Each structure stands twice: as C-alpha cells, then as structure tokens.
Amino acid sequence: MAKYTLSVIVENHAGVLSRVTGMFSRRGFNIDSLAVGVIEDPAFSRITIVVDGDLRDVDQVEKQLGKLIEVKVVNVLQDDITTVRELMLIKVNAPVEKKAEIVQIVEIFRGKVVDVSPYSLTIEATGTHDKLKAFYDMLVPYGIIELARTGPVALQRGPNVLSNKRKR
Amino acid sequence: MLLTGSQILMECLLEQDVDTIFGYPGGSVLFIYDEIYKYSHKIHHILTSHEQGASHAADGYARSTGKPGVCIATSGPGATNLVTGIATAYMDSSPVVFITGNVAVDLIGKDSFQEADITGITMPITKYNCIVKDVTKLAEIVRKAFAIAKSGRPGPVLIDIPKDISNTKTEYTKATDKELNQYNSLGAKTSPVSSEEVETFKEMIVNAKKPYILVGGGVTRGNAFEETRKFAEMIKAPVGCTLMALGSFPGNHIQFSGTVGMHGSKASNLGMSECDLLISLGSRFSDRVIGDVRKFARNAKVVHVDVDGAEIDKNVVSHHSIVDEIKNVLTKMISAMQDCDLNMKPKEEWLAYIESLKKHNQVQVTTHKGRITANEIFDDIYKATKGDVFIVTDVGQHQMWAAKYFSFDFPKKLITSGGFGTMGFGAGAAIGTQAGNPGSHVLHIAGDGSFRMNCNELSTEEYYKLPIITIIINNGTLGMVRQWQTLFYEGRYSNTDLDRGPDFVKLADAYGIKGYEINTMEEFNEALSESLNSGKPAVLNCLIGMDDNVTPMVASGKPINQFVLD
C-alpha cells in the first residue's frame, strides 16, 4: 500500500466536491488528505487528493474520476517532476526560558512565529511532507498544545499547464 | 419567446422527440403538471399508482425502445420513492431522465414541507444530476441531461427543479440540431479504435485454438446485433450471453451455448473457464458472471471491448482492451478479417466439446407434486408467440427460469433487472414496455413474492388499456431465497413462506382485469391463447412446486466451473 497524489481540475460550483469525495467512498477508496481551491481560471478548481492504495486502485480512481461530468482533467503526480508543499500551524508550549531555543529551531526550518503569549508560541511552516514531519518531531519534546495541517498542493515542474490537458 | 420554466421544460422535451412520460403529481410540480395538461395533445402522460411504478415504467420504456425514458415526480417523498427505480436503471445502464420538483429556492435547506436533498441522495446512482437554481440555465441543463443519459454508456440523469423556478419566465429559443449535438461527447469518453488495436486483436484471434465470445449488456445498449453475429460467424467461436444480453445474439443460433454465470448453462460456464481466448463484448464481468475472480478464465488471454474505459481491468485483468462503441470496433474487425485469408488454428475439437456440453442445457426441472413446471410454461409461451414477444420479469427463480428455458432470438425483448435485482420491477416495466411498443405482445412474468410488491399498478394497466398478460409463477414462497436456505442454511426457512392472501384471481377482478387460476398445462394454453387474442390485460396465476430449484447453480464466490447443483 502506498500513497498517491492526484491533481484533479473540476468545474467550480456547488456539489462538485461532494460528488468527487462521494465517488471515493462509494468505490471504497480511502482519502488521506484533500486540498481544494480555484486555479488560474476561476471557473475551475483544483482538488489535490492523497489516496491510499496500490497501483491498481489508483488506476481505477483515475478512471472513475474521469467519468464524472464536472471533472475536466485527472493527473496522477509523479514525485520527481512535481513541486509539492503543505502548510502547518502549530501551537507549542513555550515558557520564558525555552522561547529562545524554540525560535532558533523555527529559524533553522525557515518557519515563522505568528503568535506569542507568555506560555506559548504559534508557528507557521510550509514545506514538503518530510520537512514538516522533521520540524514537528523537533517540537514534540516542548509539548504540542494544538496542531492544524492542510493536505499537499502540487504543481508539475516546467511550463506545461494541467488544465489545458485533454481529458482521457 | 418569454416562457416559464415549466413551459421551457415541455418545449425541451419536444426538442428530444419525447411523446410519452410517466409520473405522479404533487405540490412542487403543480406548475409543471399545469403545462402537461396543456401539452397533452403532444405528450402522453401515464399516471401510475406509485412513483416507484413510474420510475420502472420509464426504465422499461427506455430498455425496450432504446429512446430515453422520462419520469416526473414531486419533491420529498415523491422524489425519494424514485430512488429504487433510479438505482435499477443505473446498475443496468439504462437511459432515463428523472425530473423532480423541489421547494422554492428560498425554502431550500430549511427542513421545509416535502423537502429532500434529492441531488445529494441520488449522486452515487446517477450518471449526472443537478438542481436548477437559475431558470436561464434550465434549457441547457435539460439538453445536457438527455445527451448524457443517451451517450457512451447510457445511464439515469436527474434534474431537480424548485417550484418558483418552474414558474419564472425567461427567454427561450428552440435548439438547432447542431446545438443539441454539441453535448453528445459529454457522456462518452472514447476515441475511435486504431488500426494497431484491430491488428493486435486479429492476431490473437488467429492464434486461438479455443476462443469464446462473451456477449454483455453493452451489445444490447449499443445496438450491435448484426455486427456481433457476423463477427461470431467469421471466427467460429461459441457464444455465451449475460442476462442483460439475451437476445442480442440469437438464442436459436447454432453457436449459442447459453446464459453465463451463477445460473448459467454448463456449456457456457465451462466454455469461459477452459477457453484460451476470452472476448468480452460489452460485459462488465459482474460477480454473478465470473464467480471467484482468482480462478476465472485462468488459461485465457482476455480481450475486453467496452465503451466505458473504467470497466477495463476493474474486475478482470485484460491482455488487450479497446475502448470504443462496440458497433465501430466490430465493423472495423469484420472488414479487417474479411479481405484476407484468416488462417485460423483448427478448432474442431473445441467446438465439439462445447456442443456435447449443450445437451445438458435441456435438462428439465423435476417436480414431485404433480404440478406444472416453469419449463413447460416457457416452452408453451415460445410455441404460442414464436419468440416474438416482450418478456418482462421480476426477480428470483422465475427470472432465472425465463433466461434458461425461453429462447431469446430477438434483441431487446428481455426486460429484466439484472444488476440491481429489483423485486417489483416487472409491473412498472411492463407498463413502460407496452406504452413504448403498442403493437407488440408484452408478458409480465412474476413470482408471487415480486407480484405482491407492485400489484397496485394493475389499475394503471387497466385504465390505459395496456394489454399486458401477467403470468404469476406461484410457488407460495420467496423461491430463490428458499433455495439458498435449503442449500446453505440447513432448511431453516426464515420468513420465506408466503402462505397468505390475496387470492390473485379475485385481486385481478377487483382491478377490472380477467384472472385465471392455472393448475394444468391445458388450462395454461387455453388462458394464454384467449388473453393474447383478447387485446385486454389478464392475470394468470400458475401454481408450481414449492421446492422446484433453479439449476445449474454455482455458489456465490466459487469458481464458475464448480456447480453446487447440477
């Protein structure tokens, strides 16, 4: 079992997200994470979905998505030619004497402090899944108060535009 | 022209050459029904007893004529009463357009009277659905809906129209043919078969010593009957049909080896299991057909031809696949094979083997109680009609006996719920079939269990003078379930005894329809003959043995060459 990332361009109107996620549950595929937002043409949205499964599952997911009327393009992303980023907001326990060393870790990971209180720091970080995991692991010993994460968003490297690709 | 939403709906139906619709009125569709009243000289509306009956009627109409069926219901419970019918059409890829009313736009989402999120509820069982919140988009949505329902792999579509939208005026212009055709590719995602694909396919055929052709529902929906027959005759392979394809290859053709799958013939199931080349034409390899997928067609190379690319490798892994209309593919194959000397490998031994297995197809049901049997009934129906009749069934033993004992020589004559297995489908479906084919004989074969479910539609048959002959294969039990309880649950007949009323002959009479109680084949033949000639509906209650079983039978999840009942 592996994780595959799909980039799906869909018509931007009510119900489309529901239809896409509904297809996953109907066919028994598990969604690991999902991020959705408009693309360069606001009539369309991009849904970036990470799905658990093997190659045969991903093949079926791709084809079943392609059958949906409001889906314009489906692309299974290949790691080596894709730029992937996720965002994490993490509120960490930070008493006065620990604040400086925590801020040092934030600098190393090129994160940003976005909120401060006498006993906590809220940090914003973006990066690949692995980088964010490493950052998180470094902060665990201080005590994590709260965490919010998005799923990945991704674009293929190079000049090609996914939404111009013809549907299979 | 400034028209209301309801008027635009009527005009769009006329654009699609719709002449018959099935439905049931209600509060949210009052404006629509007002227009139906005014358009009644152009569009004939059949009012059923229940929305479920209307949904099956629209489906039966679509399956038997090939034209999209149309069904209208009101909001809330009216719409939810369609759900079984929509799912039935979805599983068998039948082109039906369902139109539901909904509460006014500003009442949506407020738990209003008779409100239901029918688009949410039917999302997984429609090819496409939407709610119309802007009347200026209504005409486009209706045109898109019909195109999506009909094109590629057909399927049901639902349009939800809020009540105020159906009464709001906007500009309407009749669509040109060109405008209508622009939506055709929406429902289909294929590209024409390439010459390389044809060559590869041809190579595989030439090298096969034991080819087998599996004909599926895709041939029925794709109207590829002539091409399939020519193709099969050219490559001289035995042919089996799934339930949805019976009649798409003639049942009386020498190469036909019978139905396939759980209750298929020995010849077909062993043919599929032991062949070295399995050609699937429009079959989706349903679990009822393939049995244990790990053991299915182990020694064969599989060629999968289907208009829906998502079916390729979904259940069975194929070695070669072609995603295009079957008609196109077979036309190209026929011309590629016609002009040259094929030089196929000799197949006499294989053909003789299949032929020897076909003798088993004629094994009759044995019964112990001196009662008539299903096979006698179907034999006599065939003799009386020469196979030129619509057979509409419900679900259960009677359905499997119909598939086995009646020879389907003509396409689109068997109207049955295969994928969803909906008991109660028959009554509504028979109404739709008769309405769409006024000059033909329509027989509704039902089990006593199934008949009870939607017998309320007998009044619809009587009112619209639809001369449907209902033949109840009455064994006083929920037969198919009883058979499983006998075989796998040590005869614990939990809730399958139907030793209860009504008296079906008296019931028919109450509906104004002639009823016959049938105990012997003489009585059957007389009643059938009288009914066929009367031009009126009739109900024949035929009493058969409670423990008559459907054979052969492959247990669920077992390999299809392993018969639990022979």
Side-chain angles (χ1 to χ4, degrees):
Chain A
M1 285 276 276
K3 291 195 204 294
Y4 293 88
T5 307
L6 290 105
S7 189
V8 189
I9 310 287
V10 303
E11 285 173 25
N12 182 12
H13 53 77
V16 180
L17 184 61
S18 181
R19 191 183 297 274
V20 168
T21 53
M23 186 285 287
F24 279 81
S25 72
R26 148 140 176 68
R27 298 277 171 187
F29 299 117
N30 192 39
I31 297 179
D32 203 60
S33 74
L34 187 151
V36 59
V38 287
I39 64 169
E40 57 280 3
D41 176 350
F44 296 93
S45 298
R46 181 192 313 274
I47 307 178
T48 310
I49 308 178
V50 178
V51 67
D52 281 324
D54 57 31
L55 260 177
R56 199 164 153 193
D57 290 334
V58 170
D59 184 54
Q60 259 297 292
V61 165
E62 200 185 342
K63 286 172 175 165
Q64 292 293 343
L65 279 175
K67 271 171 88 165
L68 300 178
I69 305 291
E70 294 115 326
V71 170
K72 196 170 172 223
V73 189
V74 184
N75 193 30
V76 182
L77 299 175
Q78 291 170 261
D79 284 342
D80 54 342
I81 56 164
T82 310
T83 314
V84 186
R85 292 290 180 270
E86 287 184 53
L87 181 132
M88 182 168 80
L89 284 175
I90 183 164
K91 191 181 288 179
V92 76
N93 190 32
V96 169
E97 65 277 12
K98 297 283 184 190
K99 275 202 168 69
E101 55 186 87
I102 295 175
V103 171
Q104 238 184 4
I105 297 171
V106 172
E107 273 165 15
I108 292 167
F109 280 91
R110 298 199 299 278
K112 283 191 291 216
V113 173
V114 293
D115 188 56
V116 60
S117 82
Y119 301 107
S120 72
L121 283 171
T122 301
I123 301 155
E124 169 197 317
T126 59
T128 61
H129 187 89
D130 291 345
K131 171 193 165 181
L132 293 183
K133 177 162 195 316
F135 191 16
Y136 179 85
D137 288 344
M138 287 299 295
L139 293 174
V140 163
Y142 297 94
I144 310 285
I145 301 172
E146 248 189 322
L147 173 69
R149 288 183 73 153
T150 66
V153 285
L155 286 180
Q156 250 173 270
R157 294 183 188 276
N160 292 334
V161 179
L162 181 64
S163 55
N164 289 341
K165 198 172 150 190
R166 254 168 27 108
K167 227 171 169 183
R168 302 155 121 240
Chain B
M1 211 186 334
L2 219 54
L3 296 182
T4 65
S6 310
Q7 290 165 332
I8 293 174
L9 177 64
M10 291 294 116
E11 288 299 326
C12 286
L13 290 180
L14 290 175
E15 279 173 13
Q16 303 287 338
D17 294 324
V18 171
D19 53 43
T20 310
I21 57 182
F22 306 88
Y24 203 88
S28 298
V29 286
L30 276 168
F31 291 111
I32 294 175
Y33 269 83
D34 200 29
E35 293 309 319
I36 290 174
Y37 186 90
K38 296 175 195 162
Y39 278 73
S40 58
H41 55 293
K42 288 194 180 151
I43 299 182
H44 177 46
H45 178 281
I46 292 185
L47 174 69
T48 54
S49 300
H50 190 281
E51 285 95 351
Q52 184 177 355
S55 68
H56 294 318
D59 190 357
Y61 180 92
R63 293 176 195 230
S64 59
T65 63
K67 294 171 64 179
V70 179
C71 177
I72 306 186
T74 189
S75 62
T80 52
N81 278 343
L82 299 175
V83 172
T84 303
I86 298 172
T88 307
Y90 183 74
M91 289 296 272
D92 289 338
S93 304
S94 180
V96 186
V97 176
F98 291 93
I99 298 161
T100 51
N102 207 333
V103 299
V105 170
D106 51 6
L107 288 175
I108 290 175
K110 307 228 172 42
D111 301 322
S112 309
F113 179 66
Q114 291 195 330
E115 181 195 353
D117 176 17
I118 195 65
T119 37
I121 292 167
T122 58
M123 226 177 241
I125 51 169
T126 48
K127 206 172 159 187
Y128 174 69
N129 70 8
C130 82
I131 176 167
V132 184
K133 291 210 172 142
D134 177 355
V135 71
T136 62
K137 306 249 179 344
L138 177 60
E140 187 189 343
I141 288 172
V142 177
R143 291 163 189 156
K144 263 169 93 164
F146 272 87
I148 292 168
K150 284 188 294 190
S151 60
R153 177 180 185 175
V157 174
L158 183 137
I159 307 172
D160 196 24
I161 307 178
K163 188 171 180 181
D164 52 345
I165 301 289
S166 71
N167 194 34
T168 306
K169 286 202 168 121
T170 188
E171 241 342 281
Y172 164 80
T173 343
K174 186 166 162 168
T176 60
D177 280 336
K178 185 160 164 231
E179 281 175 319
L180 288 178
N181 289 335
Q182 71 177 287
Y183 302 116
N184 283 353
S185 59
L186 264 183
K189 274 147 205 76
T190 59
S191 41
V193 58
S194 69
S195 40
E196 288 80 33
E197 287 173 316
V198 168
E199 270 315 299
T200 311
F201 193 4
K202 194 170 122 185
E203 269 297 298
M204 294 171 86
I205 291 171
V206 163
N207 290 321
K209 293 203 193 99
K210 304 192 210 173
Y212 192 85
I213 300 176
L214 172 63
V215 177
V219 172
T220 315
R221 299 282 175 257
N223 300 304
F225 321 117
E226 265 311 295
E227 294 82 359
T228 301
R229 190 184 50 80
K230 261 207 198 108
F231 176 75
E233 285 171 356
M234 276 180 107
I235 73 170
K236 297 195 195 358
V239 180
C241 286
T242 65
L243 187 63
M244 302 312 297
L246 285 173
S248 294
F249 185 81
N252 56 3
H253 194 287
I254 185 92
Q255 284 170 250
F256 183 62
S257 68
T259 320
V260 297
M262 179 178 270
H263 290 292
S265 67
K266 241 183 162 168
S268 294
N269 283 344
L270 291 175
M272 281 202 298
S273 303
E274 295 168 23
C275 64
D276 65 1
L277 176 69
L278 179 64
I279 300 170
S280 163
L281 300 176
S283 159
R284 60 183 173 85
F285 290 121
S286 132
D287 60 288
R288 294 282 115 153
V289 166
I290 62 179
D292 183 348
V293 65
R294 296 165 300 183
K295 308 240 171 69
F296 179 72
R298 295 308 297 285
N299 308 318
K301 290 243 181 317
V302 175
V303 179
H304 197 172
V305 182
D306 203 295
V307 76
D308 181 357
E311 291 300 329
I312 310 295
D313 297 342
K314 184 190 86 184
N315 287 343
V316 168
V317 176
S318 59
H319 298 84
H320 181 48
S321 60
I322 303 177
V323 178
D324 190 9
E325 296 274 347
I326 296 181
K327 226 177 155 75
N328 293 349
V329 177
L330 292 182
T331 307
K332 295 243 164 62
M333 287 302 297
I334 289 166
S335 63
M337 298 193 296
Q338 217 158 38
D339 304 323
C340 60
D341 190 13
L342 266 190
N343 254 331
M344 294 188 288
K345 298 240 160 26
K347 302 188 205 79
E348 284 72 30
E349 231 183 272
W350 170 243
L351 295 174
Y353 170 59
I354 300 291
E355 201 53 42
S356 70
L357 290 172
K358 275 160 75 167
K359 297 206 187 356
H360 185 271
N361 289 2
Q362 291 319 305
V363 168
Q364 308 291 293
V365 177
T366 46
T367 189
H368 307 293
K369 295 213 170 58
R371 285 189 162 186
I372 57 178
T373 60
N375 52 272
E376 291 172 289
I377 290 174
F378 286 109
D379 271 342
D380 282 10
I381 294 174
Y382 188 80
K383 284 196 195 99
T385 60
K386 313 263 187 304
D388 186 15
V389 64
F390 284 97
I391 303 277
V392 182
T393 77
D394 275 288
V395 169
Q397 292 183 314
H398 68 278
Q399 178 192 32
M400 295 294 104
W401 284 324
K404 184 179 160 122
Y405 293 120
F406 190 83
S407 180
F408 288 95
D409 307 331
F410 306 105
K412 286 182 153 49
K413 294 292 194 185
L414 173 61
I415 309 297
T416 191
S417 168
F420 211 47
T422 308
M423 281 178 68
F425 172 72
I431 287 166
T433 303
Q434 187 76 86
N437 300 275
S440 305
H441 284 303
V442 174
L443 303 185
H444 170 202
I445 318 284
D448 49 307
S450 297
F451 180 70
R452 265 168 231 284
M453 289 202 173
N454 283 329
C455 55
N456 52 0
E457 298 302 343
L458 281 178
S459 65
T460 315
E461 290 176 22
E462 194 278 328
Y463 185 80
Y464 292 97
K465 305 204 188 328
L466 301 169
I468 296 162
I469 301 169
T470 304
I471 298 174
I472 306 174
I473 311 256
N474 188 346
N475 55 6
T477 177
L478 194 59
M480 187 58 93
V481 181
R482 183 189 174 86
Q483 183 168 327
W484 283 61
Q485 288 169 337
T486 308
L487 291 170
F488 307 114
Y489 294 87
E490 295 156 357
R492 288 185 294 276
Y493 299 120
S494 169
N495 293 286
T496 48
D497 288 328
L498 297 178
D499 49 347
R500 54 178 75 178
D503 176 329
F504 290 129
V505 175
K506 284 200 182 133
L507 181 74
D509 191 53
Y511 279 105
I513 293 178
K514 181 143 183 167
Y516 301 83
E517 192 79 358
I518 310 288
N519 283 293
T520 66
M521 286 314 294
E522 288 76 40
E523 283 170 0
F524 181 77
N525 284 317
E526 216 181 286
L528 182 64
S529 173
E530 210 173 278
S531 309
L532 286 169
N533 291 322
S534 71
K536 292 212 183 89
V539 173
L540 278 61
N541 183 27
C542 309
L543 302 168
I544 68 161
M546 203 183 223
D547 286 299
D548 287 1
N549 282 330
V550 181
T551 62
M553 177 173 178
V554 176
S556 144
K558 293 276 182 273
I560 46 151
N561 55 0
Q562 227 176 71
F563 301 95
V564 64
L565 275 189
D566 215 304

